[in-house]
Amino acid sequence: MPEDRLLRSIVGWLMAILLALLALAAPAHAEPDFLKGWDGRHDRDLSATMLQISPYTLHFSPSPDHQNVYLLGAAAVRADGWMAGGAYFSNSFGQPTVYAFVGRKYLEPFGWERVYWTWTAGILYGYVDDYRDEVPFNVRGFSPGFVPTVGYMLTPRTSVQVAILGTAGLMFSLVFDLAP
């Protein structure tokens, strides 16, 4: 019985990711009016392959069990800012973990030059054994993820960014936007 529930959960998550990826592949369309203003430059082509490296994560509640988190991630970003990608990292407990996601990138919110923000939503795998309860809704290592970030463009292709990891901490990253 528990194995059947796990299988249904995994299939459900995989279907959700597949639908999100299909939505990203759909042709771009006009944004609804209520979203205008979050991105002050709608005419800018955001197409890129984003590479992300994170050497440090600040934990809000440090623990002797915590280890430094190292992350390497990549995402394909469409011209309109929609993106899909994945990341491999060692979680706070030294366990290898992966995150597959879809999301969106917004430039110059509120007219702030060189600033951007993103959000991603997807599925994590890697919090297992003694640490399975460290992330919510964990079923045999699989759990949902949501990560908002704020970034600052040092150059048109190089940025620094901070990811908000729920109530756990902040992840600091260097991001490179490679030409599509």
Side-chain angles (χ1 to χ4, degrees):
M1 182 81 148
E3 289 82 15
D4 187 44
R5 192 173 87 198
L6 172 66
L7 182 58
R8 281 196 312 260
S9 177
I10 292 170
V11 168
W13 275 106
L14 291 175
M15 291 299 293
I17 291 170
L18 177 61
L19 288 173
L21 291 173
L22 288 173
L24 284 174
H29 58 281
E31 280 198 327
D33 286 339
F34 70 88
L35 283 179
K36 296 190 191 240
W38 284 103
D39 177 1
R41 301 179 66 187
H42 290 284
D43 59 338
R44 186 161 167 193
D45 183 350
L46 299 179
S47 299
T49 299
M50 277 183 10
L51 295 180
Q52 175 184 0
I53 300 168
S54 175
Y56 180 71
T57 297
L58 171 71
H59 291 94
F60 293 145
S61 299
S63 161
D65 289 343
H66 285 163
Q67 298 180 24
N68 199 21
V69 175
Y70 298 99
L71 176 137
L72 180 59
V77 183
R78 291 187 349 175
D80 61 0
W82 284 100
M83 64 178 149
Y88 174 82
F89 61 99
S90 62
N91 68 30
S92 299
F93 307 99
Q95 297 174 312
T97 305
V98 293
Y99 177 48
F101 61 84
V102 295
R104 182 90 191 261
K105 181 176 184 176
Y106 300 88
L107 291 181
E108 299 180 356
F110 312 112
W112 299 339
E113 290 188 30
R114 304 176 90 172
V115 173
Y116 67 89
W117 70 277
T118 69
W119 61 265
T120 63
I123 188 163
L124 285 160
Y125 176 78
Y127 287 83
V128 295
D129 301 327
D130 293 342
Y131 304 107
R132 66 183 169 274
D133 295 330
E134 297 295 328
V135 291
F137 309 111
N138 191 341
V139 178
R140 299 214 179 160
F142 290 93
S143 58
F146 178 77
V147 181
T149 69
V150 175
Y152 182 79
M153 293 179 277
L154 301 171
T155 72
R157 298 274 183 200
T158 305
S159 304
V160 291
Q161 84 177 18
V162 177
I164 303 164
L165 306 175
T167 60
L170 300 174
M171 176 179 280
F172 299 91
S173 299
L174 188 58
V175 179
F176 303 97
D177 285 354
L178 307 178

